[in-house]
């Protein structure tokens, strides 16, 4: 049994989750949740047991010195609660971690156990995919759900994806089977500049989340970082005429596809969003604070005293459906949203947020999808341009 200690009754709580790895191209989704936690000063109240869900040869622990004492940080998933003040206060339960290596059903059951005890009304899972989208246009963000009623009432897409899935799809389906409303928000990251960070995609996810849950989110330096990122990619593309031509092709395709949507209703929605962000003190989401009294709230197991729920029994196959019932949107060519995540070992971007070159475009070091140029300069099998002309490894696009 889970007991809440030091956590007041939450007000219209919404759980917002993101996981590093396969579902997190450019680290856009995990960075968005980290931004919420930082801006609203969230306090961690629980962490899942790393031994249960992670392969430490895949996600290695890190060692650090604390006043000369060596300590270890284990890869895990942590939960925090923030109270967003204003005329209509609301609480957020933030879930941030790494996609688990094993026992996904038990992992989802633990997350849902916390959601049940905290009275969560809706779960929003953030993800980022690699797509054939130009960096010069607004980042596309798709909102999808497995619940037909929720799709209709919140103007979302009902997922029709079939194929391999990640923890985002599994958790969404687990929520649906548990009767908890769940939505996935997916940002499309240009596959030819996929290495993290991607502040433009992070900003797009936060803007979409703001509209979905009715909170005004402080954006801090993200808008400036997004502008600096785009300027940096513009400079890289300008150095090679073939790369610039490829980007122009993507722009034309995107503009043609979106032309019918340039309706009066779409323009009105954008104008309303602009006004909400311009007028101080409007909307339900004012400055956020941590839990009252400055105390860190905890969830405890009365039997063991651990800050986590008791290990649930292993559910049967019906508890969480397999990959065939995934909850992610389709990518540009029927691919799933999680065709690429952050690139391990890629070159860090400068402090101004502009991208750097030289790192692999995908987590496995292979080039981006679609046979188009990657930031590491390796040309694709179809002879499309690249930045340094080095040969491709396998010439296959990731789907």
């Amino acid at each position: 049994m889970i007991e809440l200690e030091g956590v007041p009754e939450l007000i219209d709580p919404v759980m917002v989750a993101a996981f590093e790895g396969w579902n997190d191209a450019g680290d856009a989704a995990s960075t968005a949740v980290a931004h919420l936690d930082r801006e609203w000063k969230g306090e961690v109240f629980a962490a899942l047991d790393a031994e249960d869900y992670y392969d430490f040869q895949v996600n290695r622990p890190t060692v650090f010195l604390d006043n000369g004492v060596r300590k270890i940080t284990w890869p895990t998933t942590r939960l925090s609660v923030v109270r967003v003040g204003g005329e209509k206060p609301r609480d957020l339960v933030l879930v941030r971690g790494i996609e688990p290596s094993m026992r996904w059903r038990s992992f989802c059951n633990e997350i849902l156990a916390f959601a049940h005890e905290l009275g969560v009304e809706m779960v929003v899972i953030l993800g980022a995919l690699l797509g054939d989208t130009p960096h010069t246009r607004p980042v596309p963000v798709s909102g999808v759900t497995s619940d037909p009623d929720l799709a209709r009432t919140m103007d979302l897409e009902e997922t029709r994806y079939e194929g391999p899935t990640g923890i985002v799809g599994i958790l969404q389906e687990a929520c649906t089977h548990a009767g908890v409303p769940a939505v996935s928000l997916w940002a499309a990251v240009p596959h030819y500049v996929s290495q993290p960070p991607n502040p433009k995609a992070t900003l797009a996810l936060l803007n979409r989340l703001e509209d979905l849950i009715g909170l005004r989110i402080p954006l801090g330096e993200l808008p400036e970082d997004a502008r600096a990122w785009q300027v940096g990619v513009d400079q890289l593309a300008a150095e090679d005429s073939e790369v610039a031509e490829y980007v122009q092709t993507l722009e034309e395709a995107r503009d043609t596809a979106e032309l019918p949507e340039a309706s009066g209703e779409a323009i009105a929605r954008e104008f309303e969003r602009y006004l909400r962000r311009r007028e101080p003190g409007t909307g339900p989401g004012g400055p956020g604070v941590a839990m009252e009294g400055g105390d860190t709230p905890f969830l405890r197991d009365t039997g063991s005293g651990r800050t986590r729920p008791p290990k649930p029994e292993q559910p049967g196959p019906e508890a969480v459906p397999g990959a065939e019932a995934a909850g992610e949107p389709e990518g540009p060519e029927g691919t799933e949203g999680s065709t690429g995540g952050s690139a391990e070992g890629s070159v860090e971007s400068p402090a101004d947020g502009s991208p750097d070159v030289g790192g692999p475009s995908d987590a496995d070091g292979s080039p981006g999808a679609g046979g188009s140029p990657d930031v590491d300069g390796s040309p694709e099998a179809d002879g499309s341009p690249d930045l340094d002309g080095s040969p491709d490894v396998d010439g296959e696009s990731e789907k």
Side-chain angles (χ1 to χ4, degrees):
M1 177 180 179
I2 305 171
E3 284 192 356
L4 302 177
E5 294 184 4
V7 181
E9 183 177 354
L10 302 185
I11 303 173
D12 301 329
V14 172
M15 177 177 283
V16 182
F19 304 95
E20 300 172 18
W22 209 59
N23 302 143
D24 193 23
D27 289 357
S30 58
T31 302
V33 173
H35 177 86
L36 297 175
D37 192 74
R38 181 173 60 254
E39 291 292 327
W40 282 323
K41 299 177 175 61
E43 295 285 346
V44 175
F45 66 86
L48 275 61
D49 192 338
E51 292 280 349
D52 291 341
Y53 304 113
Y54 293 100
D55 180 347
F56 299 137
Q57 290 182 326
V58 176
N59 298 289
R60 292 186 177 274
T62 57
V63 179
F64 67 98
L65 292 176
D66 183 11
N67 294 326
V69 179
R70 291 172 63 85
K71 295 185 177 180
I72 296 177
T73 299
W74 296 92
T76 188
T77 295
R78 295 178 174 85
L79 294 86
S80 58
V81 175
V82 297
R83 172 152 293 173
V84 184
E87 297 178 0
K88 296 180 180 179
R90 184 168 211 175
D91 294 320
L92 295 182
V93 180
L94 305 179
V95 181
R96 182 188 176 204
I98 305 170
E99 183 178 67
S101 305
M102 61 195 84
R103 302 185 183 93
W104 284 19
R105 290 176 178 146
S106 297
F107 180 88
C108 292
N109 285 343
E110 284 214 53
I111 298 295
L112 284 171
F114 283 114
H116 175 74
E117 289 297 325
L118 294 169
V120 167
E121 297 181 348
M122 183 171 65
V123 175
V124 181
I125 316 166
L126 307 183
L129 55 91
L130 296 180
D132 292 324
T133 180
H135 71 278
T136 54
R137 296 295 185 264
V139 175
V141 177
S142 302
V144 298
T145 180
S146 299
D147 187 335
D149 295 332
L150 196 62
R152 183 174 57 256
T153 58
M154 302 191 72
D155 192 24
L156 301 168
E157 300 176 27
E158 188 176 352
T159 180
R160 291 288 185 267
Y161 172 76
E162 294 180 282
T165 188
I167 193 60
V168 172
I170 297 300
L171 181 56
Q172 177 171 312
E173 288 303 308
C175 292
T176 300
H177 283 259
V180 179
V183 176
S184 296
L185 299 181
W186 287 93
V189 173
H191 62 82
Y192 57 89
V193 56
S194 60
Q195 81 274 24
N198 190 318
K200 188 173 182 179
T202 297
L203 181 62
L205 280 171
L206 291 175
N207 287 339
R208 187 70 174 85
L209 177 66
E210 186 178 66
D211 295 339
L212 182 69
I213 63 178
L215 287 180
R216 189 175 178 187
I217 298 174
L219 299 177
E221 298 180 356
L222 266 178
E224 182 60 32
D225 291 343
R227 283 190 291 269
W229 178 87
Q230 181 163 327
V231 169
V233 181
D234 287 341
Q235 292 173 348
L236 293 178
E239 295 175 359
D240 190 309
S241 60
E242 293 185 348
V243 173
E245 182 180 351
Y246 174 74
V247 173
Q248 183 178 2
T249 301
L250 292 179
E251 291 172 343
E252 293 172 354
R254 172 78 179 274
D255 295 343
T256 301
E258 291 190 347
L259 186 60
E261 297 184 7
S263 62
E265 183 180 352
I267 295 173
R269 284 198 302 267
E270 290 299 320
F271 185 64
E272 289 174 359
R273 182 185 294 115
Y274 169 78
L275 290 179
R276 283 199 302 270
R277 291 171 186 153
R278 288 278 296 176
E279 298 176 6
T282 60
V289 295
M291 305 310 297
E292 296 177 356
D295 296 329
T296 301
F298 290 97
L299 294 180
R300 294 190 182 278
D301 181 347
T302 54
S304 62
R306 300 169 66 188
T307 56
R308 61 186 296 272
K311 185 180 297 185
E313 295 182 1
Q314 189 73 6
E318 69 280 0
V320 181
E324 65 274 6
E328 285 83 357
E330 294 187 26
E333 298 180 9
T335 60
E336 190 190 7
S338 49
T339 54
S342 59
E344 183 178 352
S346 60
V347 180
E348 294 183 358
S349 297
D352 62 357
S354 60
D356 217 333
V357 295
S361 62
D362 289 326
D364 61 358
S366 57
S372 49
D374 290 338
V375 292
D376 63 353
S378 55
E380 303 297 335
D382 62 358
S384 56
D386 235 318
L387 297 180
D388 69 357
S390 58
D392 194 359
V393 177
D394 55 12
E396 295 181 358
S397 59
E398 293 187 14
K399 293 295 179 186

